[in-house]
Amino acid sequence: MYRKVFKRVLDIALSALALIVLSPLFLSIFLAVKIDSPGPALFRQKRVGIHKSYFNILKFRTMQIDTPRDVPTHMLENPEHWITRVGRFLRKTSLDELPQIAQIFTGKMSIIGPRPALWNQFDLIEERDKYGANDIRPGLTGWAQINGRDELEIAEKARLDGEYVIRMSFLFDCRCFFITIVSVLRRDGIVEGGTGSHLRDITSDNQEKVNI
């Protein structure tokens, strides 16, 4: 019942509430990004959704508009060079992810679930297939993110995503949610630009499509 009905109902209710309560923060960040550097406040990035369908994830822009496109942050020669002043703060606090709350409301994402892979993260997508992790809605945060985040290799990240598929429940989602808050405040597992063979998830930037 939780997986098929209540999880989605909870996503809708909580995301709607968050959109209302956080609207002043949304506006403040929107204006700060616009004032800090030329260009739009939001950008879109092609990601993998439920059943390996594609959707454009929304984020507040944290990098210069002339950042090389279709290049993951960790592959840039000097990632810090491209990050804006406001963007640096947004990435450290994960506030650049806030626009995804609207995508939780519309059903593209869930509050808790595997972080949506980049469309060209073929190794991660393939590994997740082994665990059925591509067949649930991707999340704003997930079990893998609170167990290593940027420090995880592809195989381990996929394994943890598969573990979430098995353990998914109301109490487990609550656990993931509250640990995420603590992890963000402590910046656990964040390595700017990424490490190993994986790509940066919660605060990654790949300047693919820009809007607004």
Side-chain angles (χ1 to χ4, degrees):
M1 178 65 75
Y2 177 75
R3 295 182 181 221
K4 293 183 178 181
V5 180
F6 188 58
K7 182 176 174 67
R8 180 64 191 135
V9 171
L10 198 60
D11 280 343
I12 294 172
L14 292 180
S15 61
L17 179 62
L19 288 172
I20 295 171
V21 173
L22 297 178
S23 56
L25 179 59
F26 272 80
L27 179 59
S28 297
I29 295 175
F30 184 95
L31 294 175
V33 173
K34 294 286 288 184
I35 294 171
D36 182 51
S37 66
L42 298 178
F43 80 96
R44 296 178 295 164
Q45 187 179 60
K46 188 177 179 181
R47 295 283 182 126
V48 179
I50 187 171
H51 303 312
K52 292 191 285 189
S53 60
Y54 293 128
F55 75 104
N56 288 317
I57 200 171
L58 293 175
K59 295 187 179 187
F60 282 115
R61 181 174 59 84
T62 63
M63 303 185 81
Q64 305 289 346
I65 58 172
D66 58 345
T67 301
R69 298 191 177 191
D70 294 319
V71 179
T73 306
H74 79 290
M75 293 183 67
L76 293 171
E77 184 176 344
N78 182 12
E80 288 291 341
H81 169 74
W82 302 103
I83 302 173
T84 64
R85 290 171 298 177
V86 169
R88 190 168 291 108
F89 171 75
L90 295 179
R91 291 162 71 91
K92 287 179 179 179
T93 58
S94 293
L95 289 174
D96 57 323
E97 306 291 341
L98 285 181
Q100 292 160 42
I101 294 176
Q103 296 184 291
I104 294 173
F105 182 77
T106 60
K108 296 291 186 182
M109 297 177 63
S110 180
I111 296 174
I112 310 295
R115 279 297 294 169
L118 287 164
W119 67 273
N120 57 357
Q121 276 186 288
F122 303 117
D123 46 359
L124 176 58
I125 297 168
E126 183 178 354
E127 284 293 316
R128 282 177 170 173
D129 270 337
K130 300 176 181 178
Y131 304 100
N134 289 317
D135 295 323
I136 61 175
R137 283 187 179 88
L140 184 64
T141 184
W143 185 233
Q145 275 57 53
I146 60 178
N147 280 282
R149 200 169 175 173
D150 289 340
E151 297 172 350
L152 294 175
E153 296 296 331
I154 291 293
E156 179 63 9
K157 183 181 295 185
R159 186 192 68 78
L160 288 168
D161 289 333
E163 184 177 335
Y164 172 75
V165 174
I166 295 173
R167 300 179 65 180
M168 188 193 308
S169 67
F170 174 69
L171 291 179
F172 194 61
D173 277 3
C174 288
R175 178 181 177 184
C176 292
F177 180 80
F178 288 113
I179 295 178
T180 293
I181 295 176
V182 175
S183 295
V184 168
L185 292 176
R186 295 172 54 184
R187 297 198 66 221
D188 288 346
I190 300 177
V191 180
E192 189 59 73
T195 61
S197 61
H198 64 282
L199 303 182
R200 192 168 178 269
D201 278 322
I202 289 186
T203 50
S204 68
D205 267 302
N206 176 11
Q207 300 297 97
E208 181 183 275
K209 297 181 181 178
V210 184
N211 69 319
I212 301 183

